[in-house]
Amino acid sequence: MIKQRDYSSWVTQSPLSELDPKKKIFAVASGKGGTGKSTFAINLSLALATLGHEVILVDADLGGADLSNLLSINSPRYTMQDFIQGEVTYLSEVLETTPSPNLRLILGGSDIISISNPYYQQKMKLIRNISQLEADYVIVDLGPDISFNNLDFFNAAPIGYLVTHNVDTIIMGFYRFLKAAFVRRLKQEFKDDPFIMNIINDFQNKGWNRSRKNLVHSIRAASREVHDQLDELLESFQPRLVFNMVKSNSAKQTADQMFSFILQNFGFRLQTAGFLPRDDEVEKAYARGEPYILRYPKGNTTKAIFELLVSSGLNYTKDNRQVTNFSGFNKLLKIEAQNWQFLKI
Amino acid sequence: MNEEKLMKDSDRGQERRQGEDRRKVVIDPQDIPFPDRRKGDRRKKDRRLYSEEEQQEILKRIKEDKAED
């Protein structure tokens, strides 16, 4: 195994300790497929479950659900499809268990095309039910596209992670998602104010290119009240960037450039949550349908996930004991891995 | 199809033929409160989420930094 450099000094995210304990819902998006979004969502979920927290991982990639494959869980009893189609009343009824006692799943159903495009009311019902799930953490794995479904799920979650690579097309995909989510968030915030809605629509109609700095300036100039409302929105809209497949220091530069570009043009702060190294072992685990973090508890990416937990203040067990070093976390992972029978083969 | 229905259809057709041919009515685009689809206004809209200018700005900055790296 190649020794990995320590990326912890590159991280700029603020701790999540002040987050409402009832609303620990994290959305994981990307704006482009194949970035490692689902792998990150699984590893983050298992890391929190290993610390003793009750975690629910939701596969909200409505048109391309595949978490069951990634975790080698065959023939689920129920999927989200049963909830959307009204076969069951509550979303909690479709929860699937996993070998990890603290991790449960809500799997998406992808064999019916209508589930990919739920009606607005169905989508809102789904979002409402996700927020009512009883767990310490709910991790929502989203689809790769910029559909309204993904944007709305992303904006509904108190914390949104965006997974990207340091590759031009993927960076632009991430930027496209971020911009669309921000403008949609603005529209949700000011939907009852026709004057502000006019400003936003006007910018969109004249080309999204113009929905940059001037958009925020124009809204801010409308009135003192709107100015304050916008500042509050900008303060709360702080997506967290996760750089995956990192090979060199240039990822840090890209993260810094994106931070300053977004701040200058849109006025909100893009936090950098973590850097996950390029790691062949992740690909091996992915190919075998095994959870990486349990298969390779001492792996470089496992270490990077632990660093992400530390920098976001999530390195506490359910009974509030702080796990300060990687070796302590490693021991817990090894105990957790014993629940996964196929890992012993 | 019964005889009554045939009569009804032909009566309605008769009325329509007596009126003005609606296909010849000219509508001034200025009078309609929405974009005139026939002129392709909607198609002319730039619906891209980001422009080439933005793309160049973002990637140029990143490439400059990578070069310094």
Side-chain angles (χ1 to χ4, degrees), chain A residues 317-334:
Chain A
T317 59
K318 173 98 170 174
D319 51 7
N320 217 23
R321 278 182 301 121
Q322 189 178 15
V323 181
T324 47
N325 54 39
F326 183 53
S327 63
F329 183 60
N330 204 254
K331 283 176 193 157
L332 294 174
L333 285 173
K334 283 179 180 166

Side-chain angles (χ1 to χ4, degrees), chain A residues 29 46 92 123 133 155 186 194 197 298 314:
Chain A
L46 278 166
S92 52
K123 180 174 64 183
L133 286 170
N155 283 338
L186 282 177
M197 284 302 281
K298 288 186 177 174
L314 297 174

